[in-house]
Amino acid sequence: MTTASTSAPRWLTDEEQRVWRAYLHATTLLEDHFDRQLQRDAGMPHTYYGLLVQLSQAPRRRMRMTELARNAKITRSRLSHAIARLEKNGWVRREDCPSDKRGQNAVLTDDGLDMLRRSAPGHVEAVRQAMFDRLTDEQVKSLGEIMRTLATGLEPEGTDADLPWLR
Amino acid sequence: MTTASTSAPRWLTDEEQRVWRAYLHATTLLEDHFDRQLQRDAGMPHTYYGLLVQLSQAPRRRMRMTELARNAKITRSRLSHAIARLEKNGWVRREDCPSDKRGQNAVLTDDGLDMLRRSAPGHVEAVRQAMFDRLTDEQVKSLGEIMRTLATGLEPEGTDADLPWLR
DNA sequence: TCTATCTAGTTCAACTTTCAAGAAAAGGTC
DNA sequence: GACCTTTTCTTGAAAGTTGAACTAGATAGA
């Protein structure tokens, strides 16, 4: 048992507060920025775009729903809705999984691949402008380590963590 | 005029791709994590909680709508909906601005302050566990600089940038 | 003043996300 | 096989967000 609920809160220091605030500001602005860029240039939010990218890099341009959800760090429910929408656009289609009758594969269509090829250059440019062009090589390296640490912290191996794609 | 639309795309290097992916993974998981923690312990999403925090630190526990939107990096529309919901909960109330008849102040109520006091310890603990306990002092410092740089990049001073609270 | 423009905030409809519930197949255990 | 549990994915309703349209008040210029 922990005593967290009764012991004195370990408040954030001034520096920690500033860092936390900066983190929230930057991530909120970046999310807004890319959502708008992609809504304008590709007609979908950033999360949906990320799904198409995943599929484009998967063998045979297809992936099981749960694996796709795990890669995108989202719930299966959210993914179901997203794929339904992308299917309506003709960029993805569903396919029964041969080996498991419960399973579905999301498949990137030719139209979907075209859409991706058209919008990729603009999106990469946006990512560069907003992130990589502004950071030194040192900072990029550091950011990578930090983000890997934080991500790993929330999905520790071999545990019963509350992960979105298992809900 | 730029030639971005016709010149060869500056694709991301392997390292940059890994960093970008790690950034997306970490931020997605963290957002999900805090949204859930606060939904469970305070009955509201993280964005709403942040609004109450802002108000609690403002002079006379009140703030003009647009300023609150600017601090939270969100649109005024989104804020309107959020304040309406928080008002229904009794944690915030609206007040006409004396000096500008178009203006509204969002005011943190006593109930809102109580709610904040009750849930703050648990939330700080969650932030520590997920972020500060996992990073070295060096990394915290570096993260702060990086995030400040990125945030500043998206809201440069004295420009006509497309900022959420001006839309 | 009169008028045009801008700013502050809200509203509606469309879209996205969450949560709880459920159908169907798979995997164990007896 | 029969039974129970788990896994996979979907659904529908409620909650949250977006973008465009709108009201009302402020501002600036002729």
Side-chain angles (χ1 to χ4, degrees):
Chain A
M1 171 204 171
T2 76
T3 52
S5 55
T6 51
S7 54
R10 297 184 294 149
W11 299 113
L12 299 186
T13 65
D14 280 6
E15 149 122 42
E16 283 167 340
Q17 285 197 44
R18 281 193 298 272
V19 173
W20 178 234
R21 189 76 52 106
Y23 171 84
L24 293 177
H25 286 176
T27 54
T28 305
L29 286 170
L30 284 168
E31 201 190 358
D32 176 83
H33 184 67
F34 295 122
D35 265 344
R36 260 170 101 68
Q37 187 264 317
L38 284 168
Q39 194 70 60
R40 172 166 54 79
D41 299 342
M44 62 190 134
H46 187 214
T47 309
Y48 290 26
Y49 184 87
L51 297 174
L52 298 189
V53 172
Q54 289 286 339
L55 289 177
S56 77
Q57 296 174 346
R60 305 183 57 229
R61 282 159 38 185
R62 72 199 60 205
M63 206 181 290
R64 283 289 293 271
M65 293 295 279
T66 299
E67 198 193 341
L68 190 45
R70 175 169 38 240
N71 288 340
K73 314 299 172 196
I74 63 177
T75 63
R76 285 171 299 184
S77 171
R78 184 174 177 183
L79 179 61
S80 270
H81 290 297
I83 293 296
R85 196 272 222 187
L86 293 170
E87 207 170 14
K88 241 180 241 172
N89 284 292
W91 297 328
V92 168
R93 65 184 160 75
R94 283 178 221 251
E95 192 182 70
D96 291 345
C97 176
S99 58
D100 186 335
K101 285 176 187 170
R102 295 167 305 178
Q104 291 281 108
N105 277 312
V107 187
L108 184 67
T109 64
D110 291 346
D111 279 4
L113 194 56
D114 282 351
M115 146 62 63
L116 219 42
R117 286 205 228 276
R118 279 196 307 277
S119 47
H123 181 56
V124 181
E125 187 56 32
V127 172
R128 278 211 170 286
Q129 281 187 13
M131 178 167 288
F132 294 105
D133 286 355
R134 301 192 192 278
L135 302 177
T136 66
D137 291 356
E138 276 296 312
Q139 286 180 311
V140 171
K141 186 168 166 246
S142 180
L143 181 62
E145 285 164 7
I146 291 168
M147 291 298 150
R148 265 187 292 282
T149 299
L150 297 180
T152 307
L154 288 175
E155 41 178 350
E157 307 190 32
T159 53
D160 50 353
D162 171 40
L163 297 167
W165 55 94
L166 301 178
R167 296 210 270 258
Chain B
M1 169 204 169
T2 76
T3 52
S5 54
T6 52
S7 55
R10 298 184 293 149
W11 300 113
L12 299 187
T13 65
D14 280 5
E15 149 124 45
E16 283 167 338
Q17 286 197 45
R18 281 193 298 271
V19 173
W20 178 235
R21 188 78 49 108
Y23 171 85
L24 294 176
H25 287 178
T27 53
T28 306
L29 286 170
L30 284 168
E31 200 190 358
D32 175 83
H33 184 66
F34 294 122
D35 263 343
R36 265 172 98 67
Q37 187 264 314
L38 285 168
Q39 195 70 61
R40 173 165 53 80
D41 299 341
M44 64 190 131
H46 187 215
T47 308
Y48 290 26
Y49 184 87
L51 297 175
L52 298 190
V53 172
Q54 289 286 339
L55 290 178
S56 77
Q57 296 174 346
R60 303 182 58 227
R61 283 160 35 188
R62 74 200 58 207
M63 207 181 289
R64 283 290 292 271
M65 293 296 280
T66 299
E67 198 193 340
L68 190 45
R70 174 170 39 242
N71 288 339
K73 313 299 173 197
I74 63 177
T75 63
R76 285 171 299 182
S77 171
R78 185 174 175 182
L79 180 61
S80 271
H81 289 295
I83 293 297
R85 198 275 221 182
L86 293 171
E87 208 169 13
K88 242 181 241 171
N89 284 292
W91 298 329
V92 168
R93 67 186 158 73
R94 282 175 222 253
E95 194 181 68
D96 290 346
C97 175
S99 58
D100 186 336
K101 284 177 186 170
R102 295 167 304 178
Q104 291 282 107
N105 277 311
V107 187
L108 184 65
T109 64
D110 291 345
D111 278 3
L113 193 57
D114 282 350
M115 145 64 61
L116 218 42
R117 285 205 229 274
R118 278 196 307 277
S119 48
H123 182 55
V124 182
E125 188 55 32
V127 172
R128 279 210 170 286
Q129 280 187 13
M131 177 167 287
F132 294 106
D133 285 355
R134 303 193 190 277
L135 302 177
T136 66
D137 291 356
E138 275 295 312
Q139 287 180 313
V140 171
K141 187 170 165 242
S142 179
L143 182 62
E145 284 164 8
I146 291 168
M147 291 299 150
R148 266 186 291 282
T149 299
L150 297 180
T152 307
L154 289 175
E155 42 178 350
E157 307 191 32
T159 54
D160 49 352
D162 171 39
L163 297 168
W165 56 93
L166 300 178
R167 297 213 268 261

